Amino acid sequence: SIYSESDAVVPWRNSIETESSWAENVQVRASHCGMAFSAEVYAVLADHLVRPGLSSKQRNDALIESIRQMRPGARPRACA
């Protein structure tokens, strides 16, 4: 989960996931709407997408899903 304590739309405590080998909570400094434009958020996403053990297809699928969640209706294409 990427969350911000300054999010005035979603209470940040509602964004916290149970941490495991597949889930991590990362706090950023951004407003709710500002997360879509935050370099810090994109740096967190990039870091998580290049983690060892993920195939290129898994990274592309994860990136596409992230974009879909941030921009409903978007039609992102996989990277070559």
Side-chain angles (χ1 to χ4, degrees), residues 1 3 15-27 48:
S1 169
Y3 71 95
S15 299
I16 302 299
E17 297 288 335
T18 301
E19 293 203 13
S20 68
S21 61
W22 292 97
E24 181 179 354
N25 298 300
V26 180
Q27 182 178 1
H48 284 71

Side-chain angles (χ1 to χ4, degrees), residues 5 7 10 15 17 19 27-29 34 38 45 47 53 58-60 66 69 76-77:
E5 289 187 15
D7 189 327
V10 176
S15 299
E17 297 288 335
E19 293 203 13
Q27 182 178 1
V28 296
R29 290 173 299 212
S38 170
L45 289 172
D47 175 63
Q58 288 171 315
R59 282 194 294 274
N60 281 335
S66 296
Q69 289 180 13
R77 291 176 284 181

